[in-house]
Amino acid sequence: MLYALICTDKPHSVELRQKTREEHLNFLNGLGDRLKGAGPFMCDDLVSPTGSLVIIEAANRDEALAVANEDPYALAGLFESVEIRPWNWVLKNPEM
């Protein structure tokens, strides 16, 4: 099953995001084939990130939550909220 991790940064946290970015990227790359896609949400000015979208494969919601909680961004306290939603990849899914 695929899950979307919809993460919203705390206000005024760009510095914390930048400081933790390399660890975050290493963590995501370490997920291997379980990671289906990821990237930041941006402000309307397209300069400042405001959160993250991470699509992962997990056996269930608890496993997806564990991945979300292990993310270095989460451990650093970057996120104001994390929403975990089951996601069905219908269009342009390379595995179909």
Side-chain angles (χ1 to χ4, degrees):
M1 181 75 207
L2 296 178
Y3 289 87
L5 312 179
I6 304 164
C7 310
T8 302
D9 292 359
K10 291 178 181 172
H12 314 293
S13 59
V14 174
E15 185 177 318
L16 178 58
R17 175 179 272 272
Q18 290 296 64
K19 183 175 145 184
T20 319
R21 186 171 188 267
E22 186 174 346
E23 289 176 70
H24 166 72
L25 294 176
N26 289 338
F27 171 77
L28 291 180
N29 283 321
L31 294 174
D33 290 340
R34 293 173 53 200
L35 177 67
K36 301 304 179 184
F41 291 111
M42 304 298 289
C43 284
D44 288 338
D45 64 11
L46 302 178
V47 174
S48 302
T50 61
S52 300
L53 172 63
V54 179
I55 308 291
I56 61 167
E57 185 173 359
N60 53 49
R61 188 183 189 291
D62 288 341
E63 186 178 301
L65 177 61
V67 170
N69 288 338
E70 294 167 10
D71 187 319
Y73 278 170
L75 294 173
L78 175 66
F79 298 136
E80 182 174 75
S81 66
V82 177
E83 182 179 358
I84 299 172
R85 299 180 66 179
W87 188 67
N88 185 17
W89 194 348
V90 175
L91 298 176
K92 297 195 177 192
N93 182 339
E95 296 178 7
M96 294 183 105

